Amino acid sequence: MDNISEQLVKINKTPKDYFLLGGIWVAAFFIVFLFVLLGFKMPSFFGILILVSAGVMYGAYKLSSLLSIEYEYIVVNRDMDIDKITARSSRKRIVSIKLNEVEEFGVYSQQKANALANRNFSCRFICCNSGDDAYYLTYNHPKKGMILLILAMNERTKSEAMKTIPRIALSD
């Protein structure tokens, strides 16, 4: 019987994201406004400019939806997959790891963050919000090299992962 756990973590927008979102929409409305003014100056192109304006607004919508990010943790037996979901429509596998080969696992505290900052990792993946109770995991990936994962696992996902993570990898 397979041990399966799935968890979805929605990433909260930061002030920087809201500023970017506002910038996208202000720029889109400004461009549409310019096209409408240009359309009144050149009435023969008004229909085309309206279509281009609709395209600009659609592009702004698609760009702003890219700021909606979620991560999905999937634990199946000895494997863990982490996917990044953008705009609730695009899914990309970030990494797949074998939990029985994890080198370190523990609570991600400020002290541990300082210690990990000095270490050399080929990839660092932060797959949670900054204020979440997070865990860190180090793994030597066959293709990506030594990676650091920072995850906000719920109890079920954590317990399924802990069944396979070696005891020597557990750290405080």
Side-chain angles (χ1 to χ4, degrees):
M1 183 155 131
D2 290 337
N3 295 325
I4 298 172
S5 175
E6 294 182 60
Q7 179 184 350
L8 197 63
V9 176
K10 182 177 172 135
I11 301 301
N12 299 330
K13 288 183 177 59
T14 63
K16 179 182 170 185
D17 293 333
Y18 285 116
F19 182 74
L20 186 59
L21 191 64
I24 289 169
W25 284 104
V26 166
F29 282 118
F30 181 73
I31 291 169
V32 168
F33 177 73
L34 289 179
F35 282 159
V36 169
L37 287 179
L38 189 63
F40 286 128
K41 296 266 185 200
M42 300 185 311
S44 59
F45 293 109
F46 191 73
I48 293 172
L49 291 174
I50 291 296
L51 287 174
V52 172
S53 296
V56 167
M57 294 304 281
Y58 180 73
Y61 166 73
K62 289 304 262 184
L63 268 177
S64 62
S65 69
L66 291 178
L67 295 174
S68 174
I69 298 172
E70 300 172 334
Y71 289 98
E72 184 176 33
Y73 315 146
I74 305 162
V75 177
V76 179
N77 296 334
R78 295 179 179 207
D79 298 322
M80 181 176 200
D81 299 326
I82 299 168
D83 296 343
K84 181 178 182 180
I85 303 169
T86 307
R88 293 187 179 183
S89 61
S90 172
R91 175 183 298 264
K92 180 182 177 191
R93 172 81 24 100
I94 291 180
V95 69
S96 293
I97 63 172
K98 297 197 177 300
L99 291 171
N100 58 341
E101 297 175 8
V102 166
E103 295 191 5
E104 269 185 78
F105 177 80
V107 175
Y108 188 72
S109 62
Q110 185 61 42
Q111 179 182 0
K112 190 47 102 169
N114 294 337
L116 291 170
N118 298 329
R119 292 184 42 196
N120 190 17
F121 293 103
S122 56
C123 297
R124 294 172 190 256
F125 299 110
I126 301 172
C127 305
C128 62
N129 293 303
S130 61
D132 291 344
D133 291 333
Y135 296 91
Y136 76 96
L137 184 141
T138 61
Y139 177 73
N140 194 3
H141 195 273
K143 293 181 182 171
K144 296 181 181 186
M146 185 58 85
I147 62 172
L148 170 68
L149 283 168
I150 301 171
L151 310 163
M153 294 189 279
N154 62 20
E155 282 303 314
R156 178 169 178 195
T157 304
K158 180 183 164 195
S159 69
E160 289 296 327
M162 294 292 289
K163 291 177 183 176
T164 308
I165 292 176
R167 293 263 182 230
I168 57 169
L170 301 178
S171 138
D172 291 325

